[in-house]
Amino acid sequence: YHGIYNADDPTLLLAEHLRTAAALFVAALPSDRPLRFLHLGHGAGVLQRYLQAVLPGSDHVSVDLDGAVLAVSATEAPHAGRAVHGDALDFVRSTDETFDAIFVDIFDEANVCPAAFSETSFLDAAAASLADDGVLVHNLHIGGRKRDDAVARAEDALARHFHAAYRADSVDSTATGGNALLVGAKRALGRARLHENATRAGLGFDAGTRVRRLVRLCCDDDVCK
């Protein structure tokens, strides 16, 4: 399902959690320069293809532990980004590159994101790799004790490691399943500006509705919105 794409039109983004992620990316980031994205977990490369189409000139680096996934994607859903076969944790800890956004979309056999992606060493390295106005967006599955515990762990970690942390559940989520998109930012994100940016971006779907679902997880000042 997450790999569904239109071979002729990469701007058709079908997976709801990817729509939410794209809306958050685009709404939070500046539009006055080419943007650089790091995708931890390549999957089918659908989000990469989409963002390259709606943000011409954007640069994308994807890291995936599964070489077979990268090989199939390169054949079936090619895009102009750089694909790295390797461990996402190692890549972030060792890179000297700077990114405007880092998207974490990695799960184990139980559909739970490994705890290492909520640990200090990873989050410190990720924050160091982000531009001053960059954001980390973490996709997590909800529903069930293990998955909900992982979400709670990630929420707490982002709140402790970033100036501001947020959560927006995809619009198709229910109490028993779905996706939570967590955002770690180096500066507070004003809801009004995010909504305006998302609405203006022309993403091909109602980006404003996705951004309106954003909830501040932690307030460390008096401008929580």
Side-chain angles (χ1 to χ4, degrees):
Y1 169 73
H2 296 165
I4 292 177
Y5 64 94
N6 186 295
D8 299 318
D9 187 357
T11 66
L12 296 178
L13 193 61
L14 302 176
E16 185 50 56
H17 75 284
L18 293 182
R19 289 185 173 189
T20 302
L24 294 174
F25 271 160
V26 174
L29 296 174
S31 58
D32 58 350
R33 67 172 189 263
L35 299 175
R36 300 200 72 224
F37 295 89
L38 174 61
H39 304 262
L40 303 181
H42 178 76
V46 174
L47 183 60
Q48 295 90 318
R49 294 176 75 245
Y50 172 79
L51 289 172
Q52 284 180 329
V54 299
L55 296 173
S58 61
D59 182 44
H60 298 262
V61 179
S62 302
V63 184
D64 204 292
L65 194 61
D66 192 333
V69 167
L70 295 176
V72 170
S73 175
T75 301
E76 301 296 335
H79 64 86
R82 174 162 60 100
V84 177
H85 180 202
D87 184 276
L89 293 169
D90 291 342
F91 182 91
V92 172
R93 291 167 180 159
S94 62
T95 187
D96 58 1
E97 298 181 68
T98 300
F99 301 94
D100 296 291
I102 298 174
F103 185 50
V104 182
D105 194 359
I106 294 178
F107 298 93
D108 62 17
E109 66 279 0
N111 261 341
V112 176
C113 182
F117 289 94
S118 295
E119 292 176 353
T120 298
S121 60
F122 168 74
L123 292 174
D124 284 349
S129 298
L130 285 172
D132 290 340
D133 50 8
V135 294
L136 172 75
V137 179
H138 194 167
N139 174 45
L140 293 141
H141 293 158
I142 57 179
R145 181 181 58 81
K146 289 183 178 180
R147 288 183 286 276
D148 290 346
D149 286 349
V151 173
R153 179 174 61 241
E155 287 181 344
D156 179 67
L158 287 184
R160 286 185 286 107
H161 284 84
F162 285 88
H163 173 73
Y166 305 84
R167 172 174 172 168
D169 290 1
S170 60
V171 297
D172 59 349
S173 296
T174 67
T176 58
N179 295 77
L181 283 300
L182 307 185
V183 180
K186 292 186 173 183
R187 63 183 184 184
L189 304 177
R191 185 190 297 272
R193 181 180 65 84
L194 289 177
H195 184 266
E196 179 182 351
N197 290 350
T199 302
R200 188 175 51 211
L203 299 183
F205 56 86
D206 186 0
T209 294
R210 279 78 184 172
V211 169
R212 277 197 298 268
R213 299 172 71 87
L214 200 67
V215 176
R216 182 93 179 249
L217 295 175
C218 178
C219 293
D220 55 9
D221 51 37
D222 295 326
V223 295
C224 182
K225 297 180 181 179

